[in-house]
Amino acid sequence: MAATKKAAESTLYHVHPKGFWKKFRDAVVINPEISSGIPLAGIYRWPQPGSRPEKYASPATKASDPAQNPYWKRDVRRAYPQLSVVTQPDLSSLLIQHSEAQAIPAPSEAKEGEKSDVPTKTQETMDLTGAIAAITSVHKVYDQSKLPPKVPSPFKKWRAELAPDAPHDHNAYFPMLLYK
């Protein structure tokens, strides 16, 4: 038995013209076997969109519960950036604390129920200039090998470099110097 090649019917699920337009199409079209490309509404998608009797109900989520989703959390117009304030005494105490190497004591073999306290030093507050002077007096912060950080710039800094002289008579007075 020889295998027969079966092809899909191209016009089975498409609208066919009728009457005058069928005659016109048959007279004008190059390939009369080609379909119109317009699908039949009752066969192409079943059930058709919009024909279902039940209505869609959105599922309940935490966001749909007003008790769990108050307006002030959703209101992005009032989500202003919060300012962070560091005062000079706070900054000086941070500088002093972080400038000295702190040794963390080894954990002791404390019995259950006992607390091992970490010794802490309370430092008196000092002004920022005094804190900076105290830190820099102990060890030098910057030197020739360790320079302070620079502000990043997308542009290369121009350094004056002497360019070759412009063509001129070597016996004439030519006071101009060219730089690149």
Side-chain angles (χ1 to χ4, degrees), residues 147-166:
L147 295 174
K150 288 189 216 173
V151 177
S153 173
F155 306 106
K156 197 168 100 176
K157 186 176 178 181
W158 181 76
R159 298 190 191 284
E161 187 178 319
L162 206 53
D165 284 340

Side-chain angles (χ1 to χ4, degrees), residues 77-140:
R77 295 171 300 160
R78 291 176 180 83
Y80 302 118
Q82 300 296 316
L83 294 178
S84 173
V85 178
V86 178
T87 60
Q88 283 192 0
D90 293 341
L91 183 61
S92 64
S93 65
L94 283 172
L95 285 173
I96 294 291
Q97 288 173 4
H98 289 287
S99 66
E100 53 194 41
Q102 297 175 348
I104 299 173
S108 63
E109 298 290 330
K111 294 178 186 167
E112 205 162 313
E114 291 181 7
K115 285 187 176 179
S116 60
D117 293 329
V118 177
T120 57
K121 296 189 299 188
T122 58
Q123 294 188 351
E124 66 280 350
T125 58
M126 68 169 44
D127 61 336
L128 187 60
T129 55
I132 293 172
I135 292 169
T136 55
S137 67
V138 174
H139 60 279
K140 198 169 186 179

Side-chain angles (χ1 to χ4, degrees), residues 5-49:
K5 189 173 185 182
K6 293 184 180 180
E9 177 66 38
S10 64
T11 61
L12 183 61
Y13 299 108
H14 295 94
V15 175
H16 301 289
K18 296 176 185 157
F20 168 76
W21 292 111
K22 181 173 183 342
K23 290 178 185 174
F24 178 77
R25 182 177 185 273
D26 290 342
V28 174
V29 74
I30 295 172
N31 184 1
E33 299 296 320
I34 199 164
S35 74
S36 65
I38 303 171
L40 289 169
I43 299 173
Y44 177 62
R45 285 168 58 170
W46 186 260
Q48 293 106 21

Side-chain angles (χ1 to χ4, degrees), residues 47-95:
Q48 293 106 21
S51 68
R52 296 182 61 134
E54 64 270 2
K55 298 295 175 197
Y56 176 77
S58 58
T61 62
K62 188 177 178 181
S64 64
D65 183 11
Q68 300 296 323
N69 192 13
Y71 178 72
W72 60 270
K73 285 185 181 175
R74 303 188 312 261
D75 189 12
V76 295
R77 295 171 300 160
R78 291 176 180 83
Y80 302 118
Q82 300 296 316
L83 294 178
S84 173
V85 178
V86 178
T87 60
Q88 283 192 0
D90 293 341
L91 183 61
S92 64
S93 65
L94 283 172
L95 285 173

